[in-house]
Amino acid sequence: MKDFRPPKLQRKNSETTVTEVLLLNKIYEKPVFVSNVNRKVTGGSMKNYYELQGIDAKAVLFQLRSKNWVRENTNSEALPYLSKSELEELVKSISQFKSSLNKDKLVQLILDYHLENKPNRLSINKFYEVTATGQTIIKKYKNLIWLNENKSNFLMAFSQLKYDEAYFLEHPSIEPETVLIPYYQTRDSGITARLYDYFGDIEKSVNYTLKALAEAFNKDLQFFNSNYADMSAFDGPFSNAAGILEQLQTQLNALNVTSDSMDELLKYVYDNIIINKSALSYQIFLELYESALHLDSQAWDKACDKINAGDNETNHQDSIGHFDVYSLSKSDLLEIRTIIENRLAELNNCIDE
């Protein structure tokens, strides 16, 4: 058997990597010690963050230093991280101490003493500070950083993310909403609703929340029809729909929507999104919507009981017998038309005879 020797993978040449930008921004927010990059100067560990982001901190920091994006702190930069008692001790060693001084005045007194010329006066270990060049990099890739920090606010599964950090590394000037919203509008109404909410378009967020709710009802009904004998076996809005309703009540209150306008919107959603209207009438759709909106499990159960009992008359006037034309396929409708035409022809023949 031949040795398995696949060709060596060639990496893309890139001046900047996603992990470099993320770690640079994190250090700007919370500096870490030079001697122990796992520890923040303000206290606490960075290990979980490194693991979550897949960052080899020592290797990435080596690159950041070589690019002059970070450097070791100056003595003056260390002063804000000292406690008041530590500052008082430092003042005693260099000047006449006054106990009435607050922390800011203690810092200023030490700065006036030109502490940079007395490096051994400080007990705090060295830490990394972001340079002016590094701060320029952070500003340039602000959209990459935004996505990394906020994607969990609107995504349920990161595997659904097409426009990821690498995309915004290559396209730093593209604003996230200009690509994220169009992408998810036809793929996930819940994500689209959360995006619109985040970017401040409350009305569109409400529209897509209701669309997502109706789609959740479709999914629940399909799940019910294929797996259970009655509607009481599934949780409905407390499974598929619950996550998309958290902000809806607040949004509706903020918009101050009239009841007539809301009824019109709900009717539109029902007519255009609900698939099996013979299984879910508009009236019961409204009952499910209200119970889901208020997380009222008893009202939900009552609506499900009506479906189980067959109490599901539709409000559409274009129904044929017990069939709702909205639930019939094109072939079904053609077949019905053929039957009617044939029957009319037979009746006409009888009249002629």
Side-chain angles (χ1 to χ4, degrees):
M1 181 178 178
K2 289 185 178 181
D3 291 339
F4 181 66
R5 296 180 180 178
K8 184 176 178 60
L9 294 175
Q10 301 297 320
R11 297 186 180 183
K12 295 179 180 179
N13 292 325
S14 177
E15 296 181 356
T16 307
T17 66
V18 170
T19 53
E20 287 175 354
V21 174
L22 295 179
L23 184 54
L24 183 67
N25 180 67
K26 185 58 66 174
I27 290 176
Y28 183 68
E29 297 174 345
K30 300 288 184 180
V32 297
F33 289 111
V34 174
S35 59
N36 184 0
V37 296
N38 291 329
R39 300 297 299 177
K40 293 180 284 189
V41 178
T42 54
S45 174
M46 287 280 283
K47 290 186 68 176
N48 288 341
Y49 177 78
Y50 296 150
E51 292 175 0
L52 179 65
Q53 301 295 341
I55 295 177
D56 182 342
K58 291 183 178 179
V60 175
L61 276 166
F62 177 82
Q63 294 297 325
L64 296 182
R65 293 193 69 169
S66 66
K67 294 178 178 181
N68 192 34
W69 291 356
V70 298
R71 56 169 172 76
E72 292 186 6
N73 69 286
T74 64
N75 286 332
S76 300
E77 290 168 334
L79 294 179
Y81 298 104
L82 296 178
S83 66
K84 184 177 179 181
S85 60
E86 289 173 323
L87 290 170
E88 289 174 345
E89 290 299 317
L90 187 56
V91 169
K92 287 179 182 178
S93 68
I94 62 177
S95 176
Q96 185 175 358
F97 173 67
K98 297 180 180 179
S99 59
S100 60
L101 296 178
N102 59 29
K103 185 173 180 178
D104 290 340
K105 290 184 178 179
L106 288 170
V107 170
Q108 189 58 50
L109 181 61
I110 296 170
L111 290 175
D112 293 342
Y113 186 71
H114 304 296
L115 188 63
E116 299 305 327
N117 299 324
K118 286 82 176 174
N120 295 328
R121 297 281 191 181
L122 288 179
S123 59
I124 191 170
N125 293 326
K126 287 291 184 180
F127 54 86
Y128 286 112
E129 277 284 333
V130 175
T131 65
T133 304
Q135 292 178 37
T136 301
I137 295 297
I138 291 173
K139 291 179 181 178
K140 179 180 178 179
Y141 294 107
K142 62 181 178 63
N143 292 328
L144 182 161
I145 295 167
W146 173 88
L147 181 71
N148 181 263
E149 293 179 344
N150 291 281
K151 61 186 178 183
S152 61
N153 293 333
F154 50 82
L155 287 179
M156 293 301 185
F158 289 176
S159 60
Q160 296 175 296
L161 189 62
K162 175 182 179 181
Y163 296 98
D164 57 8
E165 289 87 343
Y167 176 86
F168 290 103
L169 181 69
E170 298 294 327
H171 306 86
S173 62
I174 293 181
E175 295 299 327
E177 63 265 35
T178 63
V179 291
L180 291 174
I181 290 177
Y183 177 74
Y184 284 110
Q185 276 179 328
T186 58
R187 291 172 173 83
D188 192 306
S189 299
I191 291 176
T192 304
R194 289 189 288 275
L195 283 169
Y196 273 126
D197 179 68
Y198 185 91
F199 291 115
D201 194 330
I202 299 177
E203 184 169 349
K204 287 185 178 179
S205 178
V206 167
N207 291 339
Y208 276 91
T209 298
L210 292 175
K211 184 173 184 287
L213 177 62
E215 290 168 345
F217 288 163
N218 284 337
K219 184 176 180 180
D220 281 338
L221 283 168
Q222 184 180 18
F223 186 65
F224 150 69
N225 289 332
S226 61
N227 291 278
Y228 296 107
D230 59 58
M231 291 287 287
S232 62
F234 74 93
D235 293 328
F238 312 107
S239 57
N240 288 320
I244 63 177
L245 291 166
E246 294 177 356
Q247 297 296 322
L248 183 57
Q249 187 68 62
T250 301
Q251 291 173 334
L252 291 175
N253 291 336
L255 290 173
N256 197 24
V257 180
T258 66
S259 58
D260 289 343
S261 177
M262 196 64 202
D263 290 343
E264 184 180 1
L265 176 58
L266 289 169
K267 185 64 163 57
Y268 175 86
V269 170
Y270 176 83
D271 287 343
N272 289 273
I273 306 301
I274 294 300
I275 296 173
N276 191 353
K277 296 181 176 62
S278 63
L280 181 63
S281 70
Y282 180 58
Q283 181 58 42
I284 296 183
F285 168 78
L286 292 179
E287 293 178 16
L288 293 176
Y289 159 73
E290 288 292 337
S291 64
L293 182 63
H294 301 291
L295 293 180
D296 187 341
S297 60
Q298 291 184 344
W300 174 266
D301 290 340
K302 288 180 179 179
C304 291
D305 289 340
K306 291 182 180 179
I307 297 176
N308 294 332
D311 181 13
N312 197 38
E313 294 181 2
T314 66
N315 292 330
H316 294 289
Q317 296 179 357
D318 45 3
S319 297
I320 301 176
H322 63 283
F323 291 104
D324 181 355
V325 295
Y326 285 84
S327 67
L328 299 176
S329 66
K330 184 176 180 180
S331 60
D332 291 332
L333 293 172
L334 290 174
E335 183 179 352
I336 292 172
R337 186 177 73 177
T338 301
I339 294 172
I340 293 174
E341 289 175 346
N342 291 338
R343 183 56 177 160
L344 287 173
E346 292 175 1
L347 292 173
N348 287 330
N349 290 334
C350 291
I351 293 173
D352 293 338
E353 294 176 356

